[in-house]
Structure formats: C-alpha cells, structure tokens
Amino acid sequence: MHMRHSDEPHGPEIVPVRFILQDPRSLTGKDEAVIDLMAAKGESILELALENGINIEHACGGVVACSTCHIYVNKGMEHLPEADDAELDRVEEAPDLKINSRLSCQCIVEGDGPIEVEVPAWNRNAVKEVPH
C-alpha cells in the first residue's frame, strides 16, 4: 500500500529533521547512514521520509493499524505530539521496543525542531512501491 501525502495543511519546510539509518542500503539503496532534511509543520515523519526516498515500511498506510513504521525519536520529542492510546497499543507490538519508540506515521511535526529519528535495521520496505 502506497501512502499518499496527508490532506492536512502543511507549512513551509523549516524544521530540521535528521534521520539515522541503521541499515541505509535496504531503506534507500545507498550507503548514506545520516540524512538531514527539512520538514513542514503538520507533516508526519513517515511522509517526510517517503517523499525523500527513505522507504520506511508502512504496511497499513499510516493509519495506526500496525507497528511497521516504528522508529526511535532520539532528540526533539517535545516537537511532536504525545503518543495517544492507539499509538501506544500498536507500538508495543514492534520488535526491539525502547522508551523512545514511536510510530513515524503518528509523529506529526509541531515544533521548530531540531528532531532526530533513528530507523531500526529490521525496518525494510521489501517491495518498493510506486504511486498509481
């Protein structure tokens, strides 16, 4: 399932977000393990990643029905909304759970950053999907 950009309004891309990729080749096809991007307020970390060639798995299409888009928020948790009960229930199903585990589909950029997220090595989008 390919995820569309959300219908929520987004501002200009002004929030710095750093992605640390534990297995960059499987996510991007490149060896670059650190990718610095700029996000818009109102945009999810998952949207930002997908739009910039970081193929984070997202089996449910970003609707909090799975835990495949699990990431670690290393810095900047205060610039994201608190996890609600639905997210907390789903993230518990993810392997290698940590105190800073979140679902990237629910990490909507709200503050000015910076934000740093880490994508676990086991997160692979084995089928590189193309929008229809």
Side-chain angles (χ1 to χ4, degrees), residues 4 9 14 21 32 37 44 46 56 75 79 82 91 111 114 123 132:
R4 292 182 323 134
I14 58 170
L21 310 178
E32 188 177 359
L37 299 172
S44 76
L46 179 59
I56 294 176
K75 297 177 187 167
H79 302 293
E82 286 189 37
V91 81
N123 187 306
H132 294 77

Side-chain angles (χ1 to χ4, degrees), residues 23-93:
D23 185 5
R25 182 148 296 277
S26 71
L27 292 167
T28 65
K30 300 174 185 174
D31 292 323
E32 188 177 359
V34 177
I35 299 175
D36 290 310
L37 299 172
M38 298 300 279
K41 288 185 181 179
E43 182 174 34
S44 76
I45 296 297
L46 179 59
E47 287 175 317
L48 178 65
L50 295 175
E51 289 169 359
N52 288 279
I54 303 171
N55 296 302
I56 294 176
E57 179 64 55
H58 56 288
C60 75
V63 296
V64 202
C66 72
S67 62
T68 59
C69 70
H70 171 239
I71 58 169
Y72 305 118
V73 179
N74 294 337
K75 297 177 187 167
M77 191 76 81
E78 68 275 14
H79 302 293
L80 304 169
E82 286 189 37
D84 63 14
D85 289 340
E87 180 182 356
L88 293 173
D89 288 345
R90 289 296 178 206
V91 81
E92 286 180 1
E93 299 170 0

